[in-house]
């Protein structure tokens, strides 16, 4: 009997989407399955963004390595990041909880306190939900709705050869933080440890940064997505959706000093975490070359978040290439987080 | 340590909603937590409806008593019923799956075939989703978005003393069907057995009926909800939301002959299933007395679905009263399905 474990997550999504795309010839669906959010047209100047993501106990979190507030915050943050990845404004959240009957009220109150804090930071209202008691694992499944101005939707599919590839913030810290939870007894520098664990446990969705990018519209910022599965995997999504290739420059990939300190302590290459680690929730985007400085300046001025150029979009037949620190070039190894593997 | 099992589902929802209502002073939220759907205003003539509900293996279904297609259909149907319960049109669904790694591709394909069939019946597009592998139970969590014309939203809270209480279809068959699955070896009449199992495994959401009710607007059809937890429990929700009481007439509660046949075979009172059984997904609504015939005729003419008057709304201080078959009156016992008990 063939099981889902023999498929990858993305092959499975493609399989499930197959029967659907054919029937989705509807003018009220601007973007359907396959991007960070669906984009829906109810007839107003604002288009509706919709995305869903779940956090499962034992898979995405454990009650022993994160506080309940952190778990609640992150459950909403990963969805906020999907709204950011379309350039949108988050508006409304629906929270579906699957609870073991043994869940303590303190746990539930903590998760909800985290949800409310995160929601308030991003002017998001909790407008609905559902509770089911299930008996085994705690699951927090959130659907987030947002809005985006007509004509300003940024998808994964508009990158063109010659565009410059950029990323917000730094990469790899979440994976580094996870690794310190798995190897807790090494002599980490206290400040670096605190930083990478914060990056892992309470990622900051780049909502404001996404809004600035949306001002430029899809002819200037040509493709946008968030890095949830890891740079290599999400870059592969961008390239596939846009039908382009990429030259990625290792030397330019932004790494925080804290991550480098942790990596040294574990004797791991920090670039590996940055390329394949996942859960950074930074924004990855391509920009028409003439506008790179304007876009970077605008994001940095409005948000204080650094933006780094990390490569150039090229033709699809050139493939995905990684230029190494030694000047050599090799095909980019795509090795990101896959929930089914 | 106090656990959620010591709370009821509705007490828990009230607890979680507490911190939220205070902060939800937003004009773009017409209806927040507490009704069948949230009602959201993005500025178009159509308001947005949003609801979420999950089906959990071992709680809401088992793979041994339902086909995978039925499980998929029902997972969407219970959400479609929430849209029907606001008078709305379903539009878009997001499907979040939590899968054990051992899930067979055949199971997943079956669930998705059911989802697609149900979606097509109600012109609903599957526009997004998420897959997580979790290791224990199969969970299908769906968020459904719909639309309702401004000024036509029907909530639970508008019932007034003197209004007539009505219900679509017949009640109790889903609970009867469940009972035949638990006691499979009794000498049921074949046709009755097929009927009650169909009612349990593939409930028909009353979307078209809800649309007809919405035409009359909230001054004629004053309150509307669907019966998911059982007539007694959902009627209690209606009365609490509307701050009214009710006189419910046992003799008028519609029971199908198939249910009566099954009940006789199990030696159970069918009225007990109709009052407290749950999962019927019929619509329960109150109507201004002068318009009862017009509303009933309109629903029946447009949909063929029978509508029955089962009681009268009265003042809150009169409470919830059940007039028995013997002419006696007693407080209505509220004993519905509670996921946490």
């Amino acid at each position: 009997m063939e099981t889902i474990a023999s498929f990858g997550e993305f092959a499975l999504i493609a399989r499930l989407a197959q029967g659907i795309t054919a029937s989705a010839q509807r003018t009220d669906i601007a973007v359907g399955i396959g991007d960070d959010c669906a984009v829906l047209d109810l007839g107003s100047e604002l288009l509706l963004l919709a995305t869903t993501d779940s956090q499962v106990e034992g898979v995405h979190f454990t009650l022993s390595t994160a506080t309940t507030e952190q778990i609640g915050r992150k459950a909403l943050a990963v969805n906020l990041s999907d709204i950011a990845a379309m350039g949108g404004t988050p508006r409304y959240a629906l929270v579906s909880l699957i609870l073991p009957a043994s869940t303590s009220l303190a746990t539930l109150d903590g998760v909800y306190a985290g949800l409310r804090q995160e929601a308030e930071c991003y002017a998001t209202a909790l407008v609905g939900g559902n509770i089911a008691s299930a008996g085994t694992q705690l699951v927090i499944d959130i659907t987030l709705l947002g809005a985006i101005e007509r004509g300003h939707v940024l998808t994964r599919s508009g990158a063109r050869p010659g565009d410059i590839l950029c990323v917000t913030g730094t990469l790899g810290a979440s994976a580094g933080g996870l690794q310190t939870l798995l190897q807790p007894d090494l002599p980490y520098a206290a400040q670096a440890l605190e930083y990478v664990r914060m990056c892992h446990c309470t990622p900051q969705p780049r909502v404001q940064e996404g809004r600035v990018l949306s001002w430029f519209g899809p002819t200037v910022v040509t493709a946008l997505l968030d890095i949830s599965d890891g740079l290599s995997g999400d870059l592969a999504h961008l390239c596939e959706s846009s039908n382009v290739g990429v030259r990625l420059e290792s030397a330019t990939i932004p790494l925080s000093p804290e991550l480098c300190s942790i990596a040294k302590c574990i004797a791991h290459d920090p670039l590996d975490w940055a390329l394949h680690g996942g859960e950074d929730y930074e924004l990855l985007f391509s920009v028409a070359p003439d506008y790179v400085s304007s876009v970077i300046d605008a994001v940095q001025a409005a948000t204080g978040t650094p933006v780094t150029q990390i490569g150039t979009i090229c033709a699809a037949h050139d493939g995905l290439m990684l230029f190494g620190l030694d000047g050599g070039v090799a095909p980019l190894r795509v090795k990101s987080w896959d929930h089914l593997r």
Side-chain angles (χ1 to χ4, degrees), chain A residues 229-252:
Chain A
D229 296 319
L231 175 60
S232 64
D234 286 310
L235 186 50
H237 296 321
L238 185 154
C239 289
E240 193 183 343
S241 297
S242 296
N243 192 29
V244 295
V246 71
R247 298 166 53 121
L248 187 64
E249 305 282 348
S250 296
T252 61

Side-chain angles (χ1 to χ4, degrees), chain A residues 9 15 21 42 60 70 117 126 130 134 204 210 226 237 255 260 275 312-313 336:
Chain A
E9 182 179 0
R15 182 188 177 94
T21 358
L42 278 180
H60 302 93
Q70 287 173 335
Q117 285 162 28
L126 303 178
N130 187 63
Q204 307 270 315
D226 71 329
H237 296 321
L255 307 172
C260 293
L275 283 169
T312 312
I313 301 296
S336 293

